[in-house]
Amino acid sequence: MQREVHCISHDINILQHVFYLFDWSEYTQKILNIIVNQNNLYLSEVDKMNRIILTADHSLMTEFRNIALFGFFSCSPVQYVPEILYDRLFAPLVPSDNGRARFAQYGLRKVEATLAKGFKDYEVVTVHPHYLDRFFNGASVVGLTVMDPLGIGPVTSSFAFGSNLTPYNRKKFLDLLNSIKGKDCRIVVGGSCAWQLAEREDLPIDHILIGEFERDGVAVFEEILNGTDTRVFYLRKPDPDEITSIMNPSINGLVEISRGCPRKCSYCEVASRKRDIPIGQIKKEVRINAEAGHSFAWLHAEDVLLYGCNSRKLEPDVDEVIELFKEVLRAKGVKSAGTTHFSLSAVAATPELIEKLSEITGKGWHGVQPGIETGSPKLMKKYMKNKVKPFRADEWPDVVVYAIEILNKYHWFPACTLLVGLPEETEEDVEMTIRLVEKLDKCHCILAPLFYVPLGALRNVGSMFSMKKATPTHCRLIYECWRHNLKEFSQGIWRATSDMNPLLRLICSFLVKVGSREILSNLRNILSRNENLAS
Ligand code: SF4
């Protein structure tokens, strides 16, 4: 019998690959799921003892073909980007190993590792979202991680230009929720933007966890398994020694090197005490990812250049950062390393650090996401005075230009955010930002104008910005940013997709160019409408 089950499993695996090659439609998957469920395939006796299923929606369980910019497609409206292109071209799902996710969103891996401290390993399973049905046998809780589940975060709302369009991150989250609704399981949601759901009692969610998981997570899950009625849990921040290493590979080889951000901008949710992760723990996670095939270690912090920094002026500790990268690159199987975020002020304060990092990490362009936010020293001083450190707020526009020139010189390509609609922003502030954008015309970078959303310490200050509130000056700023981006996309998309197969590369490049032209032409219309109204 055991042998028979293995044979059927093997055949199903082959079938999956065949369907995938031609058309891995939902219909074929459903048929396979029925066969698998009826035969209880893949589920060993141990698998049937899962009590907690962990997963995330499609928008968080994709590697975006290892092209960071494709991540923005999760913020794009369903009405403009056909789902087949999102699912197959830009954001194919991670592979599965008999229904388990081979790679999972980093936060989900942290939850998995933390729960392993309080539960037996067979009680917790991280599942690929397409194969959830196979694991409901006996499970009592399904835990979902989210990043922007309702699509109302600054990036997503900016991509929809404040309209009522449905972004993919929202659609995919609601699709997943609907697919679980009605199962005999409690639904628990946590993650960086779980707060969005706290007041949505209309959604089929039993418990919401707000905050970092490591300190209180196990106790909260025990309470949930014991049948608590508490709907929203607020979790305390862990100390560095409570932050557990992931046990299984993460998406894109992401590894957290530091948590929290000492720059503490008023509008930011992650502004909090910085906690550096010890190098030994970082290397352990890098090795886990490398063994699974990620030879690129993607180091994450809100400001990677502040790793090991204890200076009150927030001047990077060059030796600490270089040592970190050298150690990571010594890990078996690692060929290169990159970063998610660092600040322009840290770059301008220590250009020699960027030069050394480029020498260590090797040839080719590296991406990074810093924040420009505004060209107005007044707004910098009011809302982000630490972001400019070790410089003064009035030096900010020069710091930005200098830092981006340094980055380009050493082959770093920054995708920079700008904030539109901060409380008390004046026309003069916006004009200053436009002048800064014009100074960056010759630099290689993306300029992503994001709409202000009241968050962090400004949670109760002002209201969400939208195109309806945009003055002609705002429109001009947004237009100038997208004009710059279109030029960059046209020049850079071919290079950015160099690892893709030629046909996909052609299609992606074409669609990205057409998409940005479309955005630009819409903006041109809005701009001329606004100017007509103003005159
Ligand atoms: S620098 Fe960035 S991550 Fe840090 S507090 Fe400011 S906005 Fe948040």
Side-chain angles (χ1 to χ4, degrees):
M1 177 60 192
Q2 193 63 21
R3 187 177 160 74
E4 210 174 288
V5 167
H6 276 299
C7 287
I8 302 172
S9 301
H10 181 249
D11 292 346
I12 297 267
N13 268 332
I14 292 173
L15 268 177
Q16 284 177 346
H17 286 109
V18 171
F19 282 132
Y20 190 84
L21 277 179
F22 294 100
D23 179 18
W24 182 231
S25 66
E26 278 178 31
Y27 184 64
T28 51
Q29 278 176 62
K30 275 180 185 154
I31 293 174
L32 287 179
N33 276 342
I34 290 167
I35 299 170
V36 167
N37 286 339
Q38 282 186 350
N39 291 282
N40 254 346
L41 296 181
Y42 298 125
L43 291 181
S44 63
E45 287 308 311
V46 168
D47 272 338
K48 288 178 207 158
M49 294 161 80
N50 302 143
R51 294 173 75 200
I52 300 169
I53 298 174
L54 302 175
T55 194
D57 68 63
H58 185 134
S59 70
L60 297 178
M61 292 293 248
T62 165
E63 301 208 296
F64 294 106
R65 297 191 180 275
N66 282 316
I67 298 172
L69 284 179
F70 281 7
F72 287 114
F73 279 101
S74 288
C75 308
S76 63
V78 174
Q79 290 83 351
Y80 285 151
V81 179
E83 196 158 5
I84 191 167
L85 291 184
Y86 180 84
D87 287 354
R88 313 273 167 81
L89 195 59
F90 299 116
L93 276 163
V94 292
S96 97
D97 288 326
N98 291 341
R100 292 164 189 252
R102 187 176 304 166
F103 304 105
Q105 195 255 7
Y106 187 78
L108 203 60
R109 287 296 191 214
K110 284 289 196 197
V111 170
E112 177 188 70
T114 306
L115 289 178
K117 286 181 179 172
F119 295 90
K120 304 212 166 43
D121 57 358
Y122 58 78
E123 291 183 299
V124 182
V125 58
T126 302
V127 175
H128 188 285
H130 270 180
Y131 303 100
L132 270 177
D133 274 354
R134 297 181 190 175
F135 290 83
F136 278 119
N137 267 348
S140 313
V141 171
V142 54
L144 311 178
T145 192
V146 293
M147 268 179 75
D148 186 5
L150 299 183
I152 55 173
V155 184
T156 314
S157 51
S158 311
F159 268 67
F161 293 111
S163 64
N164 290 329
L165 301 171
T166 309
Y168 270 101
N169 46 20
R170 176 190 174 95
K171 179 185 188 303
K172 296 294 183 184
F173 173 69
L174 294 178
D175 284 353
L176 178 64
L177 212 49
N178 284 331
S179 73
I180 303 168
K181 191 171 71 179
K183 305 277 185 209
D184 190 17
C185 263
R186 291 195 166 216
I187 301 179
V188 185
V189 181
S192 52
C193 277
W195 57 265
Q196 292 180 1
L197 304 162
E199 285 166 20
R200 290 296 305 267
E201 299 202 2
D202 55 314
L203 294 174
I205 298 171
D206 299 293
H207 307 282
I208 294 161
L209 315 188
I210 297 177
E212 297 174 26
F213 191 74
E214 288 90 345
R215 177 170 288 187
D216 297 323
V218 170
V220 165
F221 263 72
E222 274 165 357
E223 253 189 77
I224 290 171
L225 285 164
N226 287 333
T228 179
D229 287 335
T230 306
R231 185 164 180 275
V232 182
F233 290 88
Y234 293 92
L235 312 183
R236 294 170 296 169
K237 289 192 192 311
D239 288 330
D241 59 358
E242 292 173 291
I243 299 177
T244 328
S245 296
I246 60 170
M247 303 182 306
N248 293 299
S250 63
I251 279 179
N252 295 119
L254 192 84
V255 169
E256 181 182 49
I257 62 156
S258 189
R259 194 177 291 183
C261 181
R263 297 193 181 272
K264 298 188 179 158
C265 304
S266 318
Y267 54 84
C268 179
E269 283 286 299
V270 300
S272 66
R273 179 170 59 98
K274 175 171 79 83
R275 287 148 291 163
D276 289 335
I277 310 294
I279 287 190
Q281 190 169 331
I282 294 169
K283 279 185 80 175
K284 186 176 166 193
E285 296 196 352
V286 166
R287 273 197 301 270
I288 287 171
N289 285 330
E291 277 163 19
H294 280 306
S295 59
F296 180 83
W298 203 21
L299 306 186
H300 168 71
E302 306 310 332
D303 193 340
V304 167
L305 302 185
L306 291 188
Y307 183 78
C309 162
N310 293 313
S311 136
R312 293 190 65 170
K313 287 184 174 171
L314 300 181
E315 273 170 301
D317 185 326
V318 174
D319 293 340
E320 285 278 341
V321 180
I322 294 298
E323 182 59 19
L324 167 71
F325 273 78
K326 281 187 174 166
E327 280 296 321
V328 163
L329 287 163
R330 270 184 211 124
K332 194 174 167 207
V334 175
K335 292 190 183 137
S336 187
T339 66
T340 52
H341 306 276
F342 53 60
S343 64
L344 295 172
S345 40
V347 173
T350 47
E352 72 279 14
L353 175 53
I354 300 301
E355 183 180 3
K356 284 183 185 163
L357 277 184
S358 301
E359 279 168 23
I360 298 172
T361 50
K363 286 186 186 149
W365 282 78
H366 295 282
V368 65
Q369 292 176 35
I372 294 176
E373 323 308 7
T374 175
S376 158
K378 181 196 89 189
L379 291 179
M380 287 307 291
K381 199 167 177 184
K382 187 168 178 61
Y383 298 118
M384 345 165 203
K385 63 178 189 299
N386 291 331
K387 199 173 195 121
V388 298
K389 277 187 173 178
F391 301 96
R392 295 189 315 270
D394 60 310
E395 295 174 298
W396 181 242
D398 294 335
V399 168
V400 169
V401 177
Y402 177 60
I404 295 181
E405 284 172 355
I406 294 285
L407 288 172
N408 284 176
K409 181 176 173 191
Y410 296 110
H411 289 166
W412 288 79
F413 186 90
C416 309
T417 52
L418 291 101
L419 263 179
V420 184
L422 273 163
E424 296 182 38
E425 177 194 68
T426 62
E427 288 288 277
E428 176 53 18
D429 295 322
V430 186
E431 288 287 359
M432 290 175 109
T433 310
I434 293 174
R435 286 201 287 278
L436 177 55
V437 165
E438 285 166 354
K439 282 187 192 163
L440 295 171
D441 193 46
K442 297 241 166 351
C443 295
H444 288 303
C445 59
I446 296 295
L447 301 170
L450 306 185
F451 294 170
Y452 169 73
V453 175
L455 290 172
L458 296 184
R459 183 170 288 271
N460 299 316
V461 182
S463 58
M464 199 162 149
F465 186 83
S466 73
M467 279 313 271
K468 287 189 192 122
K469 297 181 185 172
T471 64
T473 322
H474 283 128
C475 290
R476 198 147 47 83
L477 169 62
I478 297 167
Y479 178 81
E480 284 305 321
C481 290
W482 277 100
R483 193 185 55 76
H484 176 96
N485 295 344
L486 179 60
K487 188 182 72 182
E488 289 294 321
F489 287 147
S490 302
Q491 292 171 1
I493 187 66
W494 191 246
R495 187 180 57 225
T497 51
S498 58
D499 289 341
M500 284 179 139
N501 85 44
L503 182 61
L504 285 183
R505 193 179 181 192
L506 262 178
I507 297 171
C508 282
S509 305
F510 173 75
L511 290 172
V512 167
K513 284 182 193 177
V514 169
S516 17
R517 277 206 190 101
E518 185 64 21
I519 290 173
L520 204 61
S521 115
N522 280 343
L523 279 171
R524 210 175 285 128
N525 293 338
I526 295 173
L527 184 60
S528 57
R529 255 201 324 268
N530 273 13
E531 279 172 350
N532 288 341
L533 281 176
S535 60

